[in-house]
C-alpha cells in the first residue's frame, strides 16, 4: 500500500480535517513510499523508533507525534537523534492527536467507554472531545477505582468519597483535566481523565463530583492499539502495537 493511500484512509476514518489541533495530523516525516510493516505506539519517542528499526518497519504510527505548537523548532539534541533515525532508515512518521481522541469507535474515549461499560449519551467541551454517559454497572467509587487500576495496569489518583455510588460518568483521556468544571455541570457522579491539576482537587471536594486521574499514557494506549488492530484486519497490513511504558 502506498503511504499516501494510507494517510488518506486514516484522514477519512478519523475525520482529521474537522479538528483544530496543536500539531499537524497525518504524515509528519516522509519515508518509504510503500507501507508494509507498521509499528504503532502512544508516543514517537526514541525507544519506539528503535523498535521500528529493529523490526524493519517502514512506518511508525502514533497518537503523540512531533512539531507541537509553541515548542522549540530547532532540530538539535534529542530531536536531531529522533529525526535522523527515521530518515536514515526511510521510516514514515504518521500521527493523529485529537482525531484519535474523538473518533466514535476506535478513539481513546470510545475505547474507555467500551472498557468500563459506559453508555455514551453525548459529548462536551472544546471540539467535543469529552464524553459523558451512564455507567451500565453502577458501583461505589472505590470499586470503580479498583476496576480502573486493574484494567489500565496503573493505580489511579482518586479524589472523593469511596462509598459514593457512581451512576453517571464523564471522561476525557490524556490531559483532559481542563474539562472537569464542564463535566461537573452535567450532573455526573465522577469524572475520569489521564491527569489532574491542583485546582481540580478543590473543585472535586466542593462539587462532590469524584475525580479519577488514571494516567495520561494509560488512558491513551487504547485508541492507538485499536487503530493498529483495525489496520491489520481491514487493510491486511502488518501492524503491531508496542507499549513503551510511561508511569505518567
Amino acid at each position: 500500500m502506498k503511504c499516501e493511500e494510507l494517510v488518506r484512509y486514516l484522514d477519512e476514518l478519523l475525520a482529521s480535517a474537522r479538528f483544530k489541533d496543536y500539531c499537524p495530523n497525518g504524515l509528519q516525516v516522509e519515508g518509504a513510499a510503500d507501507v508494509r510493516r507498521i509499528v504503532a505506539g502512544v508516543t514517537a519517542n526514541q525507544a519506539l523508533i528503535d523498535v521500528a528499526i529493529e523490526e524493519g518497519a517502514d512506518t511508525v504510527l502514533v497518537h503523540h507525534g512531533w512539531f507541537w505548537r509553541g515548542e522549540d523548532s530547532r532540530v538539535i539534541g534529542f530531536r536531531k537523534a529522533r529525526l535522523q533515525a527515521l530518515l536514515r532508515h526511510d521510516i514514515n512518521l504518521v500521527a493523529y492527536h485529537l482525531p484519535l481522541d474523538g473518533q466514535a469507535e476506535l478513539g481513546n474515549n470510545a475505547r474507555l467507554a467500551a472498557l468500563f461499560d459506559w453508555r455514551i449519551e453525548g459529548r462536551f467541551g472544546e471540539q467535543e472531545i469529552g464524553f459523558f454517559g451512564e455507567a451500565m454497572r453502577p458501583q461505589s467509587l472505590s470499586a470503580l477505582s479498583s476496576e480502573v487500576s486493574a484494567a489500565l495496569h496503573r493505580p489511579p489518583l482518586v479524589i472523593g468519597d469511596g462509598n459514593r455510588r457512581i451512576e453517571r460518568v464523564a471522561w476525557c483521556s490524556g490531559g483532559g483535566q481542563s474539562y472537569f468544571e464542564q463535566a461537573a455541570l452535567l450532573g455526573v457522579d465522577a469524572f475520569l481523565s489521564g491527569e489532574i491539576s491542583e485546582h481540580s482537587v478543590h473543585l472535586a471536594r466542593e462539587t462532590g463530583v469524584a475525580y479519577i486521574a488514571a494516567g495520561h499514557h494509560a488512558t491513551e494506549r487504547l485508541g492507538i492499539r485499536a487503530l493498529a488492530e483495525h489496520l491489520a484486519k481491514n487493510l491486511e497490513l502488518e501492524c503491531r502495537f508496542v507499549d513503551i511504558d510511561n508511569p505518567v
Side-chain angles (χ1 to χ4, degrees), residues 97-136:
H97 183 230
L98 294 182
L100 190 55
D101 290 320
Q103 211 276 347
E105 296 179 6
L106 303 174
N108 289 315
N109 288 312
R111 300 320 303 162
L112 283 169
L115 184 63
F116 297 119
D117 202 13
W118 295 336
R119 183 172 65 84
I120 300 170
E121 296 178 350
R123 301 190 181 197
F124 70 102
E126 182 183 2
Q127 303 185 76
E128 297 187 324
I129 294 297
F131 285 41
F132 68 92
E134 178 185 7
M136 302 306 290

Side-chain angles (χ1 to χ4, degrees), residues 69 82 102 107 145 168 177 205:
R69 184 190 306 162
R82 291 175 177 179
S145 300
R168 295 184 56 74
Q177 62 265 43
R205 291 169 176 167

Side-chain angles (χ1 to χ4, degrees), residues 1 6 35-40 52 54-61 227-241:
M1 183 177 200
L6 173 64
V35 175
R36 297 184 177 87
R37 180 175 297 169
I38 301 172
V39 165
E54 291 171 7
E55 298 193 356
D58 47 64
T59 302
V60 170
L61 174 64
L227 184 59
E229 293 171 351
H230 173 91
L231 294 178
K233 177 180 179 181
N234 292 278
L235 299 185
E236 297 183 352
L237 293 170
E238 184 177 341
C239 191
R240 186 171 84 88
F241 171 75

Side-chain angles (χ1 to χ4, degrees), residues 172-215:
C172 184
S173 68
Q177 62 265 43
S178 62
Y179 294 148
F180 183 34
E181 186 170 355
Q182 296 176 60
L185 294 174
L186 294 171
V188 298
D189 302 304
F191 176 72
L192 180 144
S193 188
E195 300 181 15
I196 186 169
S197 296
E198 189 273 345
H199 69 270
S200 303
V201 174
H202 306 296
L203 185 59
R205 291 169 176 167
E206 292 167 23
T207 62
V209 177
Y211 198 116
I212 302 173

Side-chain angles (χ1 to χ4, degrees), residues 21-36:
D21 216 329
Y22 322 108
C23 61
N25 287 298
L27 182 63
Q28 292 189 336
V29 177
E30 184 177 358
D34 294 312
V35 175
R36 297 184 177 87

